[in-house]
Amino acid sequence: MNKRIFLFSLLLTGTITTSWSQSFKQTPNGIKTNIQSMNVEVQFFTPRIVRIIKSPAGAATKSASLSVIATPQKSTLTVAAQHNELTVRSSALQVKIDKNSGAIRFYEVKGNLLLQEKENGTRFAPGRDTGSYEVEQLFQLSAGEPVYGLGQHQQGVLNQRGRQVQLKQNNMQIAVPFFQSVKGYGVYWDNYSTTNFKDGIDGASFQSEVADAADYYFIYGGNADKVIAGYRQLTGQAPLFPRWTFGYWQSRERYKSQDETIGVVRKYRELGVPLDGIVQDWQYWSEDESYWNSTEFGNPRFPEPRKMVDSVHKMNAHIIISVWPSFGNKTKIYQAFKERNMLFGDFVTWPVNQNVEVYDAFNPHARDIYWSYMNKNIFSIGIDGWWLDSTEPDHLKEKESDEAHKTYLGTYRKVRNAYPLIHTGGVYKHQRDATDNKRVFILARSAFAGQQRFGTMMWSGDVQSGWNVFRKQISGGLNLSLSGLPYWNSDIGGFFSGRNYPKGVNDAAFHELYVRWLQFGAFCPMMRSHGTDTPREIYQFGAKGDWAYDAIKKFIDLRYRLLAYNYSHAWQVTARAGTMMRALVMDFAADEKVWNIDNEYMFGKSLLVCPVTDSMYTGRKNGETTVDLQTIKKQKLYLPAGTSWFDFWTGEKLQGGQEVEKETPVDVMPLYVKAGSIIPLSPLQQYAGEKKEDTLEVRIYEGADGNFTLYEDEGDNYNYEKGKYATIEFVWNNKAGTLTIKDRKGSFQGMRERKTFNVVLVNSKNGTGMEIPRQVDRVIHYTGKTAVNTIRP
């Protein structure tokens, strides 16, 4: 046997001493050792996911993770102990530990370096909590290697190289200590305290205020989708939202009576503008802030809340309602928390200078109480979902005593970033316990790693109305998706409009901003109009024939035409750890030109979206707004290499790998379709489910082979978890010109056995934009059995 290398299989436990001159202990999933008075543990969760734990010798054992719910699987591992390093190898990875510093390097199995810790890059200092440490871990990234993620931060950049980002929850920042690289790996730093990410000449690092160990997970996928799949394998899969949530939502801060709320839905139905969701914002409880967030309808303008909900349902719409984690001191729920010492005391939250306190969501008994009031007063009357506002929660006028406040899980300083995870998790779990007949839908302002498992849709917070702010939403949403959280949206038009647009909907300049933001919103996981200072309903922008009104309706209609496409992609999120809103690097990583593009993205696997984020048709002159819609402007955008592209609006086919200019009249946003795409288009309808979709238009974009899986189920219950759903796979053979529709898999109650697919080969004369095709190339009557159909002779 070679005396310098000792190989063995990790089948037994024990302590091994070799010429590596260190002692290490085998564990069922890796090894433990001590280097330079530092405990080091390598723990394989899967062959592609490795947990690294480092702590000072004698430090307390780290408690169970709040985010990671997976347990290590049995993997076949081998260890090679050499003079200078120890290597633990799985079928996919090699993890090497330096004997002198404890620094770790990660290689794929063929020996290519993926990531390495800096030598002496694990640093511990006394923390501000008794017995805790301030911990920093430095990594050495490759030159020019882009990394993405860290949650949602409104800095207007996609690539986080060279950036300093504070990971601390607040109104418009979502803190997720996770990044992934174009090289196909990701790093999740498992810590809930305020954390700083910094990338500079010393390396890239996570530094956290409170910890008992440096604890992180290295995930190797080979590409972004597989990295995200590994992340969700650790932290939980995203359940499927109700189908209706992929329609259009109308909201306002705020509808001040039940008649007003009902009236908005009625007006949309009268106008023939599709609508699925209405949102009831705050103060339905009372306008006396002492009754803040009572969870009860105490406002006399809402005398019959059940009737309000029933009226919305009778018009085939749904309603969600605002509920906060803070409570006025005259509410019953406040008293219940107060009696049990479950409040945060003088922690200043919104509304300021009122007797309002935040509850300790970390306490499971507090979460029980929270749900009991929501269930009795709100859920019981038929409310369809939750707008959990201020899920950070709002923390104003921060004091050191706030940070030291003892929660159920330790100081607030230690766990603060996990508040939205625990808060939304309590609501999700309690509703799941209550019924399987209605899927949980939560709209939340903040999030943390793992929150995707709690049926949560995030939004970007109370952003200003403005073009620069609008553009920053794109990279913010994309980085959140790259952080493994798949559902995100923003307030269409910006929340605060009064500063830049004091005349609101009476200002054509606001009309232009709103129209362009709404076009972007049509290609976000949730399409939701909301804001303060000025109302946003479509009829506030004129009537049919007015440019803003017509452009708004056009894109709401397009949203409904894409229902089958969007819902099928939502199923991929649930079943395959997919991502709907996709930075270009996810699908075109080999094209370096896309690495830093922050204003384009893929929506699903087929549609390239480039929002217009500059004013083109309105201006200011002598303090008044001018409008010129006659001079058509253009937008530049890049089409990724490796495929060809079709202009969705004109059918023009273009080669990838080039910058193009697209004419962008006010009702057109650049939208391109990847060659080889198969896109099902639903019939236009006033709400999701109005039409049974027995007949679908199926557009095929030639130039490459392609496939698409159409997903259907009962729409708004959890029977899909019991296998009650159906999928139909479409396969396009570009060379043969054939479309194969495979056997339907599965079934569900109410499923239509027969379908008609009107197949259209898209070109510049047919199958473009919102137009009804001039020609259907093949009508296929599908009965659930495989059939090969010749589309192009």
Side-chain angles (χ1 to χ4, degrees):
M1 180 181 293
N2 188 324
K3 294 182 179 180
R4 294 196 315 113
I5 302 177
F6 185 74
L7 295 175
F8 58 93
S9 176
L10 292 182
L11 300 176
L12 304 172
T13 60
T15 301
I16 307 296
T17 302
T18 74
S19 56
W20 184 61
S21 73
Q22 300 287 339
S23 295
F24 55 91
K25 180 182 180 181
Q26 301 170 223
T27 67
N29 300 97
I31 61 96
K32 292 181 178 180
T33 187
N34 183 280
I35 301 173
Q36 302 291 347
S37 298
M38 180 173 66
N39 299 320
V40 179
E41 181 173 2
V42 175
Q43 189 179 72
F44 275 80
F45 271 55
T46 75
R48 291 176 173 269
I49 302 175
V50 187
R51 182 186 184 188
I52 306 298
I53 312 170
K54 295 184 175 183
S55 61
T61 303
K62 189 176 187 298
S63 57
S65 176
L66 298 178
S67 294
V68 175
I69 59 174
T71 55
Q73 301 174 4
K74 184 177 291 186
S75 300
T76 300
L77 305 174
T78 59
V79 172
Q82 297 175 291
H83 180 66
N84 292 318
E85 64 186 13
L86 179 68
T87 301
V88 187
R89 183 195 302 264
S90 72
S91 59
L93 285 173
Q94 300 180 64
V95 179
K96 297 181 181 289
I97 309 170
D98 183 271
K99 75 162 189 176
N100 296 314
S101 65
I104 292 176
R105 301 191 304 278
F106 301 90
Y107 298 81
E108 53 89 41
V109 73
K110 294 181 180 179
N112 295 316
L113 178 65
L114 297 169
L115 176 67
Q116 59 184 327
E117 295 180 352
K118 293 276 286 189
E119 187 173 335
N120 300 314
T122 309
R123 302 169 181 174
F124 299 93
R128 286 193 286 171
D129 284 0
T130 302
S132 74
Y133 300 95
E134 181 180 288
V135 178
E136 181 177 23
Q137 178 63 61
L138 283 91
F139 301 95
Q140 181 64 59
L141 304 178
S142 301
E145 172 191 359
V147 296
Y148 311 96
L150 303 178
Q152 173 212 275
H153 303 280
Q154 305 202 24
Q155 299 172 331
V157 295
L158 187 67
N159 182 359
Q160 302 289 9
R161 287 304 301 272
R163 309 292 300 179
Q164 295 185 41
V165 183
Q166 185 183 59
L167 302 179
K168 182 179 182 178
Q169 310 288 16
N170 70 40
N171 186 318
M172 292 175 284
Q173 309 295 329
I174 297 176
V176 182
F178 171 84
F179 70 80
Q180 64 166 291
S181 164
V182 75
K183 293 167 69 174
Y185 70 82
V187 174
Y188 170 55
W189 177 255
D190 197 9
N191 187 282
Y192 327 114
S193 68
T194 298
T195 297
N196 291 300
F197 172 84
K198 180 180 179 181
D199 180 48
I201 58 174
D202 293 332
S205 65
F206 285 116
Q207 180 270 326
S208 294
E209 288 187 354
V210 180
D212 39 29
D215 188 352
Y216 69 91
Y217 295 79
F218 180 87
I219 305 166
Y220 178 57
N223 60 48
D225 280 311
K226 290 181 179 178
V227 170
I228 289 172
Y231 171 90
R232 295 207 200 129
Q233 186 175 357
L234 282 175
T235 63
Q237 302 298 335
L240 186 59
F241 285 136
R243 193 170 188 269
W244 61 266
T245 62
F246 296 96
Y248 175 69
W249 295 68
Q250 187 60 60
S251 182
R252 187 199 299 180
E253 195 285 292
R254 59 189 170 90
Y255 297 123
K256 297 182 179 180
S257 71
Q258 69 182 58
D259 288 340
E260 188 174 29
T261 302
I262 295 167
V264 171
V265 180
R266 182 180 297 116
K267 185 68 172 179
Y268 271 81
R269 294 289 180 253
E270 291 170 353
L271 292 171
V273 178
L275 175 75
D276 262 285
I278 189 80
V279 185
Q280 180 58 58
D281 205 342
W282 60 2
Q283 291 190 337
Y284 56 87
W285 47 75
S286 172
E287 295 186 14
D288 179 348
E289 301 298 3
S290 297
Y291 292 93
W292 176 266
N293 195 36
S294 67
T295 73
E296 298 181 75
F297 282 87
N299 190 324
R301 296 178 182 178
F302 295 85
E304 298 176 285
R306 185 184 293 274
K307 181 180 178 181
M308 176 183 72
V309 174
D310 289 345
S311 297
V312 170
H313 289 166
K314 286 177 182 177
M315 290 184 282
N316 298 295
H318 296 79
I319 182 170
I320 70 170
I321 196 165
S322 173
V323 190
W324 294 55
S326 52
F327 305 91
N329 66 349
K330 291 184 180 179
T331 63
K332 297 174 184 176
I333 189 171
Y334 174 96
Q335 296 301 327
F337 287 138
K338 189 75 171 178
E339 290 170 2
R340 296 165 176 81
N341 196 30
M342 295 177 176
L343 294 168
F344 278 6
D346 62 352
F347 182 111
V348 179
T349 190
W350 180 262
V352 184
N353 300 324
Q354 302 293 334
N355 295 314
V356 176
E357 295 185 40
V358 173
Y359 89 112
D360 183 2
F362 298 105
N363 188 322
H365 304 297
R367 298 195 296 271
D368 291 343
I369 293 170
Y370 188 89
W371 172 256
S372 69
Y373 280 83
M374 290 174 66
N375 184 37
K376 176 183 177 182
N377 299 323
I378 303 177
F379 193 59
S380 63
I381 65 172
I383 289 290
D384 300 298
W386 309 104
W387 179 7
L388 298 186
D389 208 339
S390 184
T391 39
E392 311 84 72
D394 269 316
H395 190 189
L396 312 171
K397 302 179 181 178
E398 291 193 32
K399 307 181 297 298
E400 179 62 26
S401 59
D402 295 342
E403 292 281 273
H405 177 82
K406 294 291 186 180
T407 76
Y408 187 82
L409 294 181
T411 65
Y412 184 68
R413 182 188 296 111
K414 178 181 178 180
V415 296
R416 62 177 301 154
N417 278 341
Y419 192 97
L421 170 72
I422 303 303
H423 176 49
T424 58
V427 174
Y428 176 84
K429 291 174 181 177
H430 279 99
Q431 184 175 327
R432 286 302 309 264
D433 288 343
T435 179
D436 271 351
N437 294 327
K438 181 180 290 188
R439 294 180 196 167
V440 181
F441 180 84
I442 297 171
L443 177 62
R445 197 171 71 186
S446 194
F448 194 68
Q451 197 161 318
Q452 73 279 349
R453 67 181 184 258
F454 294 139
T456 308
M457 172 79 70
M458 276 61 71
W459 97 92
S460 63
D462 298 341
V463 299
Q464 292 283 340
S465 300
W467 291 99
N468 183 48
V469 173
F470 171 26
R471 175 164 177 147
K472 291 177 179 178
Q473 303 307 295
I474 304 171
S475 57
L478 292 175
N479 267 321
L480 190 68
S481 290
L482 286 162
S483 302
L485 297 165
Y487 289 117
W488 176 93
N489 72 119
S490 62
D491 291 345
I492 291 175
F495 181 69
F496 290 110
S497 62
R499 178 187 298 175
N500 295 327
Y501 301 95
K503 294 182 180 179
V505 290
N506 296 315
D507 185 349
F510 181 72
H511 286 206
E512 185 182 18
L513 173 70
Y514 183 81
V515 164
R516 293 304 195 186
W517 207 317
L518 181 131
Q519 291 169 355
F520 166 58
F523 292 90
C524 290
M526 183 182 189
M527 185 184 187
R528 179 185 57 92
S529 170
H530 180 68
T532 191
D533 304 323
T534 189
R536 313 294 171 89
E537 296 79 19
I538 187 173
Y539 46 84
Q540 308 290 348
F541 295 84
K544 185 176 181 181
D546 292 318
W547 62 267
Y549 182 101
D550 289 350
I552 292 168
K553 186 175 188 302
K554 178 179 178 178
F555 275 81
I556 294 176
D557 286 349
L558 179 54
R559 178 75 173 192
Y560 279 80
R561 292 279 273 148
L562 290 168
L563 264 176
Y565 176 85
N566 289 340
Y567 196 53
S568 296
H569 275 93
W571 169 245
Q572 294 300 319
V573 171
T574 295
R576 302 286 183 269
T579 300
M580 293 182 72
M581 191 174 176
R582 309 169 60 81
L584 296 183
V585 70
M586 294 187 70
D587 296 295
F588 307 100
D591 184 353
E592 294 187 17
K593 291 183 180 178
V594 311
W595 288 1
N596 295 311
I597 292 179
D598 60 14
N599 67 330
E600 301 176 34
Y601 61 97
M602 297 295 292
F603 193 59
K605 286 284 192 175
S606 297
L607 299 173
L608 186 151
V609 182
C610 183
V612 177
T613 55
D614 293 295
S615 176
M616 293 182 173
Y617 299 106
T618 61
R620 300 283 189 188
K621 187 175 182 180
N622 299 324
E624 297 296 325
T625 298
T626 61
V627 181
D628 177 10
L629 301 177
Q630 303 305 312
T631 306
I632 303 302
K633 305 296 179 62
K634 295 181 179 181
Q635 169 122 340
K636 291 182 178 180
L637 70 148
Y638 179 73
L639 299 177
T643 186
S644 53
W645 298 89
F646 287 80
D647 185 322
F648 176 80
W649 304 107
T650 68
E652 179 186 10
K653 189 175 182 180
L654 299 164
Q655 289 302 310
Q658 64 169 323
E659 186 178 78
V660 299
E661 285 190 314
K662 169 64 181 172
E663 287 191 346
T664 49
V666 75
D667 67 339
V668 170
M669 177 184 68
L671 186 62
Y672 289 81
V673 187
K674 186 173 67 174
S677 293
I678 303 169
I679 297 185
L681 292 179
S682 298
L684 184 59
Q685 49 203 298
Q686 294 300 296
Y687 55 89
E690 180 193 20
K691 298 181 180 178
K692 293 299 182 182
E693 303 198 3
D694 297 331
T695 300
L696 293 178
E697 179 185 336
V698 178
R699 293 188 183 180
I700 297 177
Y701 295 80
E702 298 184 80
D705 293 342
N707 61 77
F708 183 87
T709 300
L710 180 69
Y711 173 82
E712 298 177 302
D713 65 10
E714 294 170 27
D716 192 5
N717 58 41
Y718 285 100
N719 285 342
Y720 75 86
E721 294 183 343
K722 304 170 186 176
K724 295 182 179 180
Y725 62 87
T727 59
I728 303 171
E729 185 179 2
F730 296 74
V731 179
W732 169 248
N733 184 314
N734 191 67
K735 183 177 180 180
T738 59
L739 178 68
T740 300
I741 307 179
K742 296 188 176 182
D743 284 359
R744 178 192 284 117
K745 295 181 179 179
S747 65
F748 57 92
Q749 186 175 353
M751 184 186 78
R752 300 297 180 98
E753 295 287 343
R754 297 176 178 271
K755 285 185 174 291
T756 299
F757 299 121
N758 293 324
V759 181
V760 177
L761 292 178
V762 174
N763 57 53
S764 60
K765 298 180 181 179
N766 197 39
T768 61
M770 297 286 288
E771 297 176 1
I772 297 173
R774 295 183 178 90
Q775 174 185 329
V776 174
D777 293 281
R778 183 70 184 268
V779 178
I780 300 172
H781 299 290
Y782 178 73
T783 61
K785 298 299 182 182
T786 296
V788 179
N789 305 274
T790 299
I791 310 300
R792 169 170 39 77

